[in-house]
Every structure is written in structure tokens, then in C-alpha cells.
Amino acid sequence: MKSLKLSQLSLAVAMGLAMTCSVYAQDESSDVTEEEDSEQSSELEHIQVTARRRTERLQDVPISVTALSGENLEESGAQDITYLNQVVPNTTMEVSRGTSNTLTAFIRGVGQQDPVAGFEAGVGVYIDDVYLNRPQGAVLDIYDVERVEVLRGPQGTLYGRNTIGGAVKYVTKRLGREPSASVRASVGSYSQADLVVKGETPIGDTLAIGGALATFNRDGFGKNLTTGLENYNKEVMAARASMEWTPGDNLFMRLSGDYYKDDSNPVGGHRLIPGLFSGAPVLDDVYDSRGGMRGENETEQEGLSLLVEYDINPSWLFKSITAWRADETINQIDFEALPPVDLDVATIYDNEQFSQEFQLNFTGDNVSGVAGFYYLDANAFGPFDVRLFQTGELLGLPELNAFTLGDVDTETWSVFADASFDLANMFDLNTGLELSVGGRYTEDERSSRVLRQTMLGRSSYFGGDPTILSIDSDFRGSDTFSEFTPRASLAWQPNDQHNLYVSWSQGFKGGSFDPRGLTTAAPDFNGDGTVSEDEVFEFMRFEPETVDTYEIGAKSSFADGRVNTSLAFFYSDYTDIQVPGSIGVDTDGDGVSDTFAGVTTNAGEATVQGVELELNALLGSNLATQGDALTTMLTLGYIDAEYDEFITSVTDPATGDTALEDVSDERVFQNTPDWTGHWNMRYETPMALFGSEGLFSVIGAWSYRGETHQFEIPSQFLDQEAYSLYDLHLVWERNDGRYEIGLHGRNLGDEQYKTSGYVFATPDGSESTLGLEGVMNAFYGPPRTVTLTGTINF
């Protein structure tokens, strides 16, 4: 199997190299012709990014980065950042299981699926340079956005928090110097009704204010047949406001605030196996559920940030980013998705963070760079009830509750620097040559409390007055994790159309303590017959994970700017991988699991390698009529991710003895399909509508994702086989930009595809590992939808 995957990788690499070399040769051999025709040719729009803390053309940045403008996202009918799942190679951006707004993000096989306190994200998400420490509320709706940048590979020497897998930057628009306003309304399938109102105005010569108010609403794709509630519905209100002050040419200040409220119903999963106790059949509609949980379900989030930019002189820029954010999420998750209480989980995620970042940017003739300091103080507080079994209901008694509380403090600081040296200027070379070196020192301190109690009835956090039967563990621990992570790249520009680079970078994600750990489940590591406090500490703690990533890439422009390509090959050595999981635990020795324990291990090592291709091309203009154009965009990703070592404890069922074994040949990477692809064709032509001249665009799109595993252990039920999505967008915009109308059809093939799931059952689904009914539930992406959108700009 490994040789087959390597053959596929080699084929993809060879095809990419052959295409690049072929077009490069054609480009070089036709310089004279292109110069003669240059006045008649058109170019693709040059996208500007700030991936290296300075504004550059995307083609000039020796980093794997995808940038999508706000206009492009709107014309593609993107509703939130999970749209990136379709268009960015080797990237997974999905709504987490059992939630409506929590984000699961993976880039090149690195990420974090578990949203509970204590687990740090593998992919960083930023709103205007402010790092979001927790994934709740991070499924950002697309409005008031200038662009979204996705950086693949370890980040940390240029800004913000260190992230081991990559970063997603949501960049909002700065205010203009003229009063303006806009209204965007959408109606569509499942009673969709969205409204976005934006406005901004200057106040005098130095001050400007602006804001946006949005509401997103939709009925469910299915029903909860027990509670009668809509399943997968949406009820969101969001707002942003900012004030910008520019007292002089060398000082800019921006105070921003945002608010988000999600009152969507609980999201119920679809059982993939019959009830193992009741025999309840599998439902026909994958969007229907029948869990019996009732209770409050909402997310509320707010944030403030202050940006200060001071131009010390033409070469030096000082930047300060101060931010505070807080959010609270209450979720009702019926794991077994059946009416009786069997494995019902009520959760609270209460998060707060304060961050401060200072940057000093330098731009010179031969050297450009940034140096900075980053500080984060955050708390993640998470109590949750795990209400077990139907016995209480049958006897008229309160349900048995395996209550867990995780309280995690994170205090981290880091210093970083990155410098680029223009060797061509320094040594008077004929071609461009740039050397970039950087490094980051990070120190993370984690302090955790993990309380486990067995009780009858709901906990006080969910309005109950329980009877506490036992305190199973009350762990308190603290540890500090530190690491220096360097980066280096060398870029060669033989001319203005080509940028070839090689790079090496290290990534680091700090350790912590499992917030669902059960101290009584700690093993006797040294075999002396007792479990010591040190052994409990080691059982609860997991170590940092690290990655070394090597990359070679080529960014090119051909045919007088009508074709842009970006090709990257990467190889990552991924070590001490953090793998969170949950197991059923039999505390009374009767052979039946009556509670659960979180077990997070540093499983071992893995090799991740692959290739990414992005292509944008203007195929023709003035084809059928003056002013028309045909363009295309292609993205392709291949990844070969395999565990080289995966150490886990294995219990002999005959003797009960436990031993450590390497089961790497039985484990797979989660949320990492081997192939990802996206291709769209766009034809635009002048067209008059309602007596106004404008531009009409037809955009057809195809997206593909290969087989995806939901967990490290393959599942015949939960794993999603390869699938394709087909979209079609019709957009008309008046020439002066005042009016825009769009009709967007998404998932026109009505593909049913799994995005996440829960499992507490044996692999064949015949026995439960926690609860009576067994858990083998899946959550699905949206079905076919059609949306009509209209925008008026004033």
C-alpha cells in the first residue's frame, strides 16, 4: 500500500514538473511575440497579501498560501469559512460534530478535532491579526471581509501565536474616506433568510466610523422526530463595528468590536446502526434524528481589539495589537440519538482570553524583516454532564451522571523574528535571490483542574440538585512547555515571471492535561503494585508535538500574465503526535462500562508528504462579444500521510495484562483525504438588465475529496468514501457597482457526505463500549440548496 501511494505521489510530482517546465519553455521561447502583442493582451488580477507582514504580490511570497478576495467569496456563494474545504488543497475546514459553529480545522494532516478545554488548535484562526484561542464560534460567516488567506505549514516567526499546521486569516475591510452603505439580502432553500447591512462615514479629516449588522436564518435540513425541533437549522445574529483615527501621516489607530449570537437548535446525529438494546431501526433520512435531550443550546461571543501603527520613519514601522475575547457555548448532545437517557451529554464551554502583540517592522533596500513579542492569557472552563443508562428512567430515579469539569489556564509568551535579505542587490547579481531566516522561542504554561464525580441527577451547572455518590478524581496539575522553532527559505527569481524557492520550518504545539482524564484509570507504570501521584500526573499529562517541514515550490506567471501557477512539494516529519480519545471504564468490576475516561497519548511518529498545485488562467477575451472573458481556476492536492509509530496500550482479554504495542499499521490519519481538488470555469459578458449596463457571469464549479477517515481507527460506518460536489453561480453586477444579483446553486447533485461522527461501539457495530444502545452516529454536510442574493450599494 505504501509503495502504491508513493507511486501516486511520484506521478503527481512528475506531472506537475512536466507541466511547469513545458510552459516555462514555451514562455521563454515566445518573448518576442508576447512583447509585440502585449498591448492587446489582458492580465489576471494581482492579489496582494500580507503573509510576511508586508504587502506583496501573492506570486512573490515564498510560502504556500491561498488568498481569496471578499468579492470572489461572495460571487462563489460562500456562506462561511467552511467553503475553504472545497477550494484550498490539502485542507479540511468543517463544523465539529454535534455543534453548529465550532470549527474542526486540519491542514496537511495536522489539526485538532476535539473542542474541549485543554486541547490547543493545530491550525490557527485569526480575525484581523487576533488569534482565536478556542474553536467555539470560529465557523466565521462571510460578511464584511476583504480577503481570506490560508497559510499551509508551520507558522510563528512572523506574527501571533505559534501554529503547527497552518493559519487562516480573516481580514476585514478598512474604512474608506467617503460615506457609503450597502444592503445584502438572501432568500433560498429551507426558508433561508439572510440580511447584511453595512455603513461607514468619515467624521472630519481624521476620524471614521463604520459597522455591519448581519442575521443568518434557515430551517433545518431535517427534523428531530422526538422533540419536534428543526435539525441543522440556523439562527445567527452578528455585528462588527470599528473606529479609525488617523491624526497624521505616520499614525493609524483602529478600535474594533464584534458580537456573535447563535440560537440554533441542538444538532442531532444520524444513527448508522440499530439500537443495540431497543432495536430501534436506522432512519431513512440522514438529516433526521430522534434524540430526546432538551435544554438550552446557544453560543454568545464578543471581542474587542485595538490596533496601533506608527511609522517611525520610512524604514521602521511599530505595530501593537491588543485584544480581549470571551465566549460561552451551551450544547445539548445526545450521543446515542434515541429518546431515552442512555448517553446524553450537556456541555458548557466558557472561554476568555487576553492577548498583546508588539511588532517592529523594517523595510530597507537590501533587508526587510519583523521582530515581535506575543503574550496570551486565557482560561477555558468546561463542565459537562454525561447522563448514562435508562435504569433511572425505568425505576423513576434520576439518571446516573458521570460529571466532568475541566478548568484550564494558559499563559504563554514568545519572541520571534524573521528577516529577508535581497542577495541580488547586496552582491549585484543578475537575477533575484532572497534568503529568509527566522526563529521563535515559545513558553507555554498550562494549569489544569480535572474534577470527576459520579452523581444522580443533573449537575448544578444545568439547573439540577444532584446527589453526589463519589468523587472519582480531583486532579490539579501545572507544567511548562518551551521550544525554539526556526525557519529558513531561499527564493530565486530568474525573471519577474518566476519565483522558485526551498524552505524548512519547525512547528510546535504545547502539551497539556487531558480535561476528561480519570485518575483512577491511571496504570501502574513501574509495576510495583501501587499507582503513585507521579504516575497519575504522567497519565493525565500529554507532551508537546513537533513537526519539521521541508518544501520546494515554484510560483510562475506565463503568457503575458494570463496564466498564474503555484506548485509546491512538501515533506513533514511529525513527532510525538497528540491523539485525544475516550474509552469506557468499568469502575465496579461487573464487566460493563459505567463511565468513561479521556485518554490522550503522544502516539508516536508519522511521515506526511504531498504536492499542491494552484492555477488561475485567462483562457480568452473578446470571444463572442467585445468585453467578454473566459477564466478558469484549478487547485489540486495530494497527500500521503502514514504513521511510522503509534504506541498504545493493549489488554490481553484472557489474562487482563496490559502491554504497550506499536499498532501503526492499523492506524490512519483523520480528516485528511489523499486527494483534494477544485475546478471552476467562469464566463463573463456585458449584459444590460432593467435598463442598466452591467456584467453577467456564469460560474460552474466542481470540488472533489478522497476517502476521509473520521478517527485514527478506520470505521466501515463513519469513514466517508470519495465524493464530488457541483455548484453553479449566476451573477450580474451593474457597471458602477451599485446593484448586484446572484443565484447560487450548491451541491446540485444532492450528495450526502459525512463530515464528523461519534463512536462508542465495537468496529463491527455489534457491541456497545459505553451505554446500552451503542453509539455510531454521523453528521452530514448541507444538501442541495439554491440561494437568491441581491445587493444595493449606496
Side-chain angles (χ1 to χ4, degrees):
M1 180 64 70
K2 188 174 183 67
S3 61
L4 176 59
K5 290 184 177 181
L6 289 175
S7 297
Q8 292 175 329
L9 176 62
S10 301
L11 177 61
V13 170
M15 290 173 61
L17 284 173
M19 183 193 69
T20 302
C21 294
S22 173
V23 180
Y24 179 83
Q26 295 172 18
D27 188 52
E28 291 295 304
S29 65
S30 57
D31 285 343
V32 176
T33 303
E34 288 181 359
E35 288 177 7
E36 292 174 350
D37 292 341
S38 61
E39 294 182 359
Q40 301 176 4
S41 65
S42 301
E43 288 189 14
L44 292 168
E45 178 184 0
H46 292 297
I47 299 176
Q48 304 289 323
V49 297
T50 56
R52 294 199 294 174
R53 315 314 300 157
R54 53 186 182 270
T55 302
E56 302 174 279
R57 289 192 319 161
L58 181 61
Q59 293 294 102
D60 295 332
V61 180
I63 298 173
S64 287
V65 54
T66 298
L68 299 169
S69 68
E71 181 181 7
N72 177 274
L73 291 167
E74 287 189 12
E75 291 177 344
S76 299
Q79 297 188 338
D80 56 54
I81 65 170
T82 61
Y83 171 73
L84 302 176
N85 205 55
Q86 292 182 231
V87 296
V88 182
N90 293 329
T91 296
T92 295
M93 305 283 287
E94 295 176 333
V95 180
S96 297
R97 53 197 180 185
T99 76
S100 58
N101 58 60
T102 300
L103 182 67
T104 293
F106 281 73
I107 294 178
R108 293 180 175 177
V110 180
Q112 177 57 255
Q113 180 168 244
D114 207 318
V116 300
F119 295 119
E120 184 180 332
V123 175
V125 178
Y126 293 80
I127 300 179
D128 289 332
D129 291 331
V130 176
Y131 172 75
L132 306 185
N133 189 56
R134 304 300 304 146
Q136 285 78 32
V139 178
L140 303 173
D141 289 291
I142 301 295
Y143 76 101
D144 192 34
V145 60
E146 181 178 274
R147 69 183 182 277
V148 175
E149 299 176 10
V150 182
L151 289 73
R152 297 184 292 278
Q155 309 295 321
T157 66
L158 294 163
Y159 57 86
R161 186 79 163 108
N162 56 292
T163 52
I164 190 170
V168 178
K169 297 176 59 183
Y170 186 103
V171 183
T172 65
K173 297 178 180 178
R174 289 197 175 184
L175 303 178
R177 303 312 303 167
E178 298 290 337
S180 67
S182 71
V183 178
R184 188 184 82 199
S186 301
V187 294
S189 306
Y190 300 97
S191 302
Q192 178 187 355
D194 301 340
L195 181 65
V196 179
V197 180
K198 299 188 293 184
E200 59 186 62
T201 184
I203 301 176
D205 296 330
T206 62
L207 193 66
I209 59 172
L213 181 65
T215 177
F216 304 99
N217 305 274
R218 185 194 65 233
D219 287 347
F221 303 138
K223 286 274 190 182
N224 184 310
L225 305 182
T226 300
T227 65
L229 295 175
E230 301 279 342
N231 201 28
Y232 293 93
N233 77 318
K234 187 170 186 177
E235 187 177 339
V236 168
M237 193 275 282
R240 292 196 185 100
S242 62
M243 180 174 64
E244 297 179 356
W245 183 46
T246 313
D249 293 338
N250 63 342
L251 181 63
F252 173 82
M253 300 179 68
R254 185 190 201 194
L255 178 65
S256 302
D258 62 87
Y259 177 81
Y260 174 89
K261 180 71 178 297
D262 185 354
D263 287 313
S264 305
N265 296 333
V267 181
H270 173 72
R271 285 190 65 90
L272 303 174
I273 58 174
L276 300 182
F277 178 77
S278 64
V282 174
L283 297 176
D284 293 332
D285 191 331
V286 299
Y287 297 104
D288 285 347
S289 190
R290 53 187 167 198
M293 283 197 77
R294 292 174 170 83
E296 189 176 9
N297 195 85
E298 67 173 18
T299 295
E300 189 169 17
Q301 183 183 74
E302 53 194 351
L304 291 170
S305 66
L306 175 64
L307 167 68
V308 179
E309 291 181 346
Y310 176 63
D311 285 302
I312 302 171
N313 57 45
S315 297
W316 291 92
L317 169 68
F318 170 78
K319 191 172 184 178
S320 170
I321 306 164
T322 308
W324 169 86
R325 300 193 66 81
D327 63 83
E328 183 180 52
T329 295
I330 303 174
N331 280 150
Q332 310 291 331
I333 306 175
D334 196 319
F335 272 57
E336 91 288 348
L338 290 172
V341 174
D342 185 42
L343 187 51
D344 293 1
V345 178
T347 68
I348 294 175
Y349 303 99
D350 190 356
N351 307 308
E352 186 173 9
Q353 69 176 79
F354 170 81
S355 62
Q356 175 64 58
E357 182 173 356
F358 297 115
Q359 295 177 12
L360 190 60
N361 295 265
F362 175 77
T363 303
D365 293 334
N366 298 326
V367 181
S368 298
V370 60
F373 169 83
Y374 180 80
Y375 174 79
L376 173 71
D377 185 9
N379 175 260
F381 181 81
F384 55 97
D385 286 5
V386 181
R387 302 163 192 163
L388 296 166
F389 310 136
Q390 305 169 40
T391 307
E393 254 185 43
L394 296 174
L395 299 178
L397 300 173
E399 62 264 22
L400 182 68
N401 185 354
F403 173 76
T404 298
L405 183 148
D407 189 0
V408 181
D409 288 316
T410 298
E411 188 172 19
T412 179
W413 65 270
S414 57
V415 290
F416 56 88
D418 196 280
S420 300
F421 302 90
D422 189 342
L423 302 182
N425 257 359
M426 295 171 67
F427 299 104
D428 196 24
L429 303 177
N430 293 327
T431 60
L433 190 63
E434 181 187 79
L435 173 67
S436 296
V437 292
R440 180 189 188 97
Y441 176 78
T442 302
E443 188 168 293
D444 290 351
E445 181 181 359
R446 294 272 203 283
S447 299
S448 297
R449 183 193 183 194
V450 182
L451 174 66
R452 298 291 305 271
Q453 296 175 318
T454 301
M455 57 180 67
L456 291 177
R458 300 183 179 190
S459 70
S460 59
Y461 293 98
F462 299 96
D465 184 16
T467 300
I468 298 176
L469 302 179
S470 65
I471 298 177
D472 303 308
S473 63
D474 191 357
F475 173 83
R476 299 171 191 264
S478 180
D479 206 351
T480 300
F481 310 93
S482 60
E483 188 76 16
F484 175 74
T485 49
R487 186 192 79 87
S489 69
L490 183 65
W492 174 51
Q493 291 184 306
N495 52 46
D496 290 341
Q497 288 76 45
H498 302 281
N499 184 14
L500 312 177
Y501 68 91
V502 293
S503 69
W504 163 70
S505 57
Q506 285 188 343
F508 160 79
K509 184 168 77 170
S512 187
F513 302 90
D514 195 308
R516 297 166 305 190
L518 185 64
T519 56
T520 53
D524 178 12
F525 287 111
N526 59 15
D528 65 356
T530 61
V531 178
S532 67
E533 290 186 5
D534 289 342
E535 288 173 318
V536 169
F537 185 87
E538 290 302 318
F539 173 72
M540 297 291 290
R541 182 182 64 172
F542 53 91
E543 297 286 350
E545 64 179 25
T546 59
V547 67
D548 281 77
T549 297
Y550 306 85
E551 185 171 320
I552 179 171
K555 297 190 176 187
S556 301
S557 180
F558 306 107
D560 198 24
R562 295 190 296 273
V563 180
N564 291 333
T565 63
S566 177
L567 181 65
F569 310 95
F570 63 90
Y571 175 93
S572 296
D573 184 12
Y574 194 10
T575 59
D576 293 326
I577 304 168
Q578 298 169 1
V579 180
S582 296
I583 60 172
V585 178
D586 175 15
T587 60
D588 55 16
D590 64 356
V592 178
S593 297
D594 49 26
T595 188
F596 77 102
V599 179
T600 299
T601 59
N602 292 95
E605 302 178 356
T607 299
V608 182
Q609 54 190 329
V611 60
E612 295 157 351
L613 171 68
E614 297 178 276
L615 179 147
N616 290 274
L618 174 60
L619 300 179
S621 57
N622 303 324
L623 299 171
T625 185
Q626 187 69 26
D628 70 356
L630 180 65
T631 60
T632 188
M633 181 181 94
L634 171 69
T635 65
L636 181 66
Y638 172 76
I639 190 166
D640 176 17
E642 289 194 355
Y643 284 101
D644 303 316
E645 180 182 77
F646 196 112
I647 304 299
T648 188
S649 59
V650 177
T651 302
D652 186 330
T655 65
D657 294 335
T658 300
L660 297 179
E661 290 187 12
D662 180 4
V663 293
S664 55
D665 59 339
E666 302 172 6
R667 297 294 186 265
V668 293
F669 265 67
Q670 61 170 272
N671 291 293
T672 305
D674 53 355
W675 287 98
T676 53
H678 176 83
W679 179 40
N680 72 47
M681 295 284 288
R682 174 182 181 138
Y683 176 72
E684 57 186 38
T685 185
M687 176 184 288
L689 191 63
F690 306 124
S692 298
E693 295 297 325
L695 191 67
F696 176 66
S697 301
V698 180
I699 308 169
W702 164 78
S703 303
Y704 174 84
R705 294 180 70 82
E707 183 184 14
T708 304
H709 302 285
Q710 305 297 345
F711 299 99
E712 283 76 18
I713 299 177
S715 170
Q716 60 176 307
F717 296 101
L718 284 175
D719 291 345
Q720 172 60 48
E721 62 184 16
Y723 66 93
S724 294
L725 299 178
Y726 301 92
D727 300 341
L728 180 64
H729 312 282
L730 309 178
V731 180
W732 180 85
E733 182 178 10
R734 202 168 87 167
N735 285 342
D736 62 3
R738 181 162 189 184
Y739 301 114
E740 182 177 317
I741 301 173
L743 183 63
H744 307 282
R746 291 177 289 269
N747 188 10
L748 294 178
D750 205 21
E751 181 74 27
Q752 295 179 350
Y753 58 98
K754 307 180 190 80
T755 59
S756 58
Y758 287 112
V759 55
F760 281 101
T762 53
D764 63 359
S766 63
E767 296 181 29
S768 174
T769 58
L770 183 61
L772 300 178
E773 298 283 9
V775 175
M776 192 73 74
N777 297 347
F779 299 87
Y780 288 78
R784 177 174 50 235
T785 61
V786 177
T787 300
L788 177 65
T789 298
T791 303
I792 304 176
N793 296 305
F794 303 95

